[in-house]
Amino acid sequence: MTAETQPEVIVIVGAGHGAGQCAASLRQEGFEGKIVLIGEEPYLPYQRPPLSKKFLSGELTIERVYFKPADFYATAEVDVRLNTRVTEIDRAAKEVVTTDGTRVAYDKLILTTGSRVRELKAPGAGLKGIHYLRTIDDVEGLKTDFHAGKRMVIVGAGYVGLEVAAVALKHGLEVTVLEMEPRVLARVTSPEVSQFFHDVHTEAGVNILYGHAVTEFKGDGHLQEAVLSNGSTMQADIALIGIGILPNVELAEAAGIACHNGIQVDEVCRTSDPDIFAAGDCTEHPNPIYGRRIRLESVHNALEQAKTAAAAALGKEKPYAQVPWFWSDQYDLKLQMAGLNQGYDEVVLRGDPKSRKFAAFYLKDGVLIAVDAINAAPEYMIGRKLIGEKARVAPERLRDINVNMKEVADS
Amino acid sequence: MAKITFIDHDGTKRDVEADNGLSVMEAAVNNMVPGIDADCGGACACATCHVYVDDAWMGKTGEISDMEETMLDFAEDRRENSRLSCQIKISDDLDGLVVTTPESQH
Ligand SMILES: Cc1cc2nc3c(=O)[nH]c(=O)nc-3n(C[C@H](O)[C@H](O)[C@H](O)COP(=O)(O)OP(=O)(O)OC[C@H]3O[C@@H](n4cnc5c(N)ncnc54)[C@H](O)[C@@H]3O)c2cc1C
Ligand code: FES
């Protein structure tokens, strides 16, 4: 990179996982200019996964959820501006505008605006006792209602809903999960794995109702009752809505940056404006392993794209080519998923789900495209590697637990 | 409180002080020790916090769970003294602990 194109000021918008990594990576890449990190939440970048797990259960304190300690930003000379929302990108002037009208000039801009919860539109949805789960403040709010003996209704059987169900049950709440689809985790896994999680949760004592949506919440200031789509009603003291997220694209969109199901970026996280980059939940990006554009909601994606975007902002091309992966903790179960299973034509189970230790491998035309591993690290670790290699694997070897995963890889 | 020494694959040493109850991974991240990415933040799900524990300390770092054991088994360059640093809990007994970060994590 030539001296004249070396940026002097890099502004990062959003202060989540991706933003924290961006700041760290810019310094690791040797950037000596000014870094301004602007986030609307009152907290330094923090990790969201514990919010529905060990932070909700009280096992982790807030200090332990931060992505990096406060010292880091001082040492790395990052100008962090919290409680500050960016309302406009003025591309012509190369400035961002914040809520109080302050204009901050940039040479390169990195958008890590993440995503927000999808809201449930129903009468009464504003009653006290109805919660979402995306931020530390959401958890603090939820905790005020989260007491043993309370009747909790969880709307949506995705990861967040199921993780909260597990924690709530342990805390002595009575838990009902409502799901519109006929199975849990319908959007992300196969019927086989959904069945497993259904069994685990119902055996633990969670009541799961399928084919149900909430049409109305009732209560006198505070939630008392949920009305379901079939007209029946359910008593409830507390509700958690976990019906998915929406990428925060509006800021970019208003500035005329190409957006469609996310801020559009190329393999080095560059947007349609060559001085503006984006990383994390807010992007739709090309994935060379699958040969298509995807949007992901995972820490790994936020971290890796942040590294790529930081490098690209400094003129270094480090194309992003990763096998997506994700984890979820529920009860004593660790679920690790690698790859994307959309379009699979064969699912191979390895191990017995009843033993709470098994894996589901997804194949398409004989090529391994995804794995869901439950308490099964070898299957996950080797599976992830094989997915990256677009390996062809023989289903009968995958299925045979007497064939070591290392040997499956060699076949 | 314990003093922990992190050694890079190329021999650079960094001493850090960390509170009891935190993990060795957190001690590294809080003190910006390179070579420990800790992608999953300590969920024993990523194996990017792999370290080699100095032989003299191996016995004091606590039990290895089945999950950690299998994650390590498939981590790059596993050795006898491999641990996932997020699974080692700091206590007074670990004051003076020495660990090395693998080359593959740099
Ligand atoms: C409860 C929960 C559990 C999860 N569990 C897991 C898990 O187990 N494993 C996993 O891999 N992933 C998990 N995830 C997903 C993971 O947390 C996200 O993928 C990750 O946080 C994405 O990081 P990000 O930096 O892209 O965006 P975010 O973390 O969403 O951060 C974006 C930040 O930008 C701010 N912002 C947006 N617009 C503006 C603006 N205009 N001005 C200023 N600030 C702005 C937002 O307020 C937010 O603070 C979980 C998420 C949640 C909510
Ligand atoms: S931080 Fe992920 S396994 Fe230790």
Side-chain angles (χ1 to χ4, degrees), chain A residues 13-20 38-41 43 46-53 84-87 112-117 133-135 159-160 163-164 245 248 251 279-282 296-303 325-329:
Chain A
V13 180
H17 227 125
I38 308 174
E40 67 184 334
E41 286 187 67
Y43 307 100
Y46 59 87
Q47 314 177 60
R48 291 183 205 280
L51 299 187
S52 50
K53 309 177 180 81
T84 308
R85 182 175 173 79
V86 172
T87 52
T112 52
T113 48
S115 50
R116 61 178 181 276
V117 292
L133 190 38
R134 180 78 200 170
T135 64
Y159 292 116
V160 172
E163 288 180 350
V164 172
I245 56 139
N248 289 325
L251 179 69
D281 278 18
C282 64
L296 295 172
E297 300 156 20
S298 83
V299 162
H300 173 250
N301 175 60
L303 293 176
W325 77 268
F326 189 86
W327 79 94
S328 175
D329 297 325

Side-chain angles (χ1 to χ4, degrees), chain A residues 127-200:
Chain A
L127 286 171
K128 284 210 176 65
I130 300 175
H131 300 272
Y132 290 88
L133 190 38
R134 180 78 200 170
T135 64
I136 287 180
D137 288 347
D138 289 342
V139 182
E140 301 296 359
L142 178 60
K143 276 183 178 169
T144 59
D145 285 321
F146 203 67
H147 304 298
K150 297 273 183 203
R151 291 159 302 185
M152 181 174 201
V153 52
I154 297 177
V155 184
Y159 292 116
V160 172
L162 294 185
E163 288 180 350
V164 172
V167 176
L169 213 62
K170 226 171 140 185
H171 273 243
L173 285 85
E174 253 176 61
V175 186
T176 300
V177 174
L178 302 177
E179 172 56 57
M180 289 244 273
E181 299 291 327
R183 58 191 180 93
V184 301
L185 301 173
R187 203 166 54 89
V188 286
T189 192
S190 58
E192 289 80 354
V193 175
S194 294
Q195 183 64 49
F196 170 76
F197 279 99
H198 168 90
D199 293 345
V200 165

Side-chain angles (χ1 to χ4, degrees), chain A residues 70-372:
Chain A
D71 292 358
F72 162 79
Y73 302 92
T75 312
E77 295 186 39
V78 180
D79 176 356
V80 183
R81 305 189 191 175
L82 301 177
N83 282 310
T84 308
R85 182 175 173 79
V86 172
T87 52
E88 186 193 337
I89 304 170
D90 182 344
R91 294 205 287 144
K94 289 183 87 171
E95 289 173 342
V96 297
V97 186
T98 66
T99 350
D100 62 4
T102 309
R103 301 182 79 89
V104 183
Y106 65 83
D107 295 313
K108 304 284 173 193
L109 180 65
I110 305 178
L111 303 174
T112 52
T113 48
S115 50
R116 61 178 181 276
V117 292
R118 186 191 291 274
E119 286 179 23
L120 182 69
K121 301 263 191 302
L127 286 171
K128 284 210 176 65
I130 300 175
H131 300 272
Y132 290 88
L133 190 38
R134 180 78 200 170
T135 64
I136 287 180
D137 288 347
D138 289 342
V139 182
E140 301 296 359
L142 178 60
K143 276 183 178 169
T144 59
D145 285 321
F146 203 67
H147 304 298
K150 297 273 183 203
R151 291 159 302 185
M152 181 174 201
V153 52
I154 297 177
V155 184
Y159 292 116
V160 172
L162 294 185
E163 288 180 350
V164 172
V167 176
L169 213 62
K170 226 171 140 185
H171 273 243
L173 285 85
E174 253 176 61
V175 186
T176 300
V177 174
L178 302 177
E179 172 56 57
M180 289 244 273
E181 299 291 327
R183 58 191 180 93
V184 301
L185 301 173
R187 203 166 54 89
V188 286
T189 192
S190 58
E192 289 80 354
V193 175
S194 294
Q195 183 64 49
F196 170 76
F197 279 99
H198 168 90
D199 293 345
V200 165
H201 282 277
T202 46
E203 277 160 29
V206 177
N207 177 26
I208 309 180
L209 301 176
Y210 296 101
H212 284 291
V214 173
T215 52
E216 187 179 353
F217 290 108
K218 286 185 175 166
D220 185 9
H222 197 285
L223 173 67
Q224 285 166 332
E225 200 172 80
V227 183
L228 310 190
S229 38
N230 64 354
S232 67
T233 58
M234 235 186 87
Q235 303 290 305
D237 308 303
I238 162 173
L240 177 84
I241 320 274
I243 54 172
I245 56 139
L246 298 168
N248 289 325
V249 300
E250 291 74 8
L251 179 69
E253 209 162 34
I257 295 165
C259 294
H260 165 70
N261 180 39
I263 302 172
Q264 296 286 306
V265 296
D266 65 10
E267 62 286 352
V268 298
C269 293
R270 194 187 294 114
T271 68
S272 58
D273 179 326
D275 291 321
I276 304 181
F277 303 82
D281 278 18
C282 64
T283 71
E284 196 207 49
H285 56 273
N287 186 297
I289 296 158
Y290 294 95
R292 59 187 153 97
R293 299 183 64 84
I294 55 178
R295 182 167 61 76
L296 295 172
E297 300 156 20
S298 83
V299 162
H300 173 250
N301 175 60
L303 293 176
E304 292 302 323
Q305 281 202 311
K307 292 176 192 170
T308 292
L314 301 174
K316 300 178 211 174
E317 306 239 324
K318 293 190 176 172
Y320 173 81
Q322 297 272 332
V323 176
W325 77 268
F326 189 86
W327 79 94
S328 175
D329 297 325
Q330 296 165 37
Y331 310 103
D332 58 330
L333 302 172
K334 179 164 305 292
L335 165 68
Q336 291 165 295
M337 316 176 94
L340 301 171
N341 74 5
Q342 278 86 2
Y344 71 86
D345 51 30
E346 183 169 7
V347 51
V348 178
L349 291 187
R350 178 181 167 93
D352 180 3
K354 293 215 164 52
S355 68
R356 296 168 86 92
K357 189 183 168 95
F358 74 103
F361 290 95
Y362 303 93
L363 302 168
K364 187 182 182 191
D365 302 325
V367 174
L368 185 64
I369 57 168
V371 58
D372 297 340

